Amino acid sequence: MERNAWRKSTRSGNNGQCVEVCNRGHLIDVRDSKAPESGMLSFEAAAWGAFVGSFKAEATCG
């Protein structure tokens, strides 16, 4: 993931119902793409990786 650049999932549609993520190295920021001025949540990179990894594991199981 590129650092310090906001990006949406490649699986996101064009309906505007997306979240964006920004990799700041030790932190991952997450915001609502349709209201970026509303703020963001920040997660430690390891916690975000575990969160995303759990979805990837679930997708391969079923």
Side-chain angles (χ1 to χ4, degrees), residues 6 8 16-21 29-41:
W6 289 99
K8 289 190 276 187
Q17 304 295 321
C18 305
V19 295
E20 297 175 315
V21 296
D29 298 330
V30 181
R31 69 181 182 185
D32 184 342
S33 65
K34 64 185 178 306
E37 68 284 348
S38 294
M40 64 188 168
L41 298 173

Side-chain angles (χ1 to χ4, degrees), residues 8 24 27 34 40 49 52 55:
K8 289 190 276 187
R24 294 192 295 138
L27 292 174
K34 64 185 178 306
M40 64 188 168
V52 171
F55 286 101

Side-chain angles (χ1 to χ4, degrees), residues 1 25-30 41-55:
M1 183 186 309
H26 65 288
L27 292 174
I28 305 297
D29 298 330
V30 181
L41 298 173
S42 296
F43 300 91
E44 290 186 4
W48 181 255
F51 174 72
V52 171
S54 69
F55 286 101

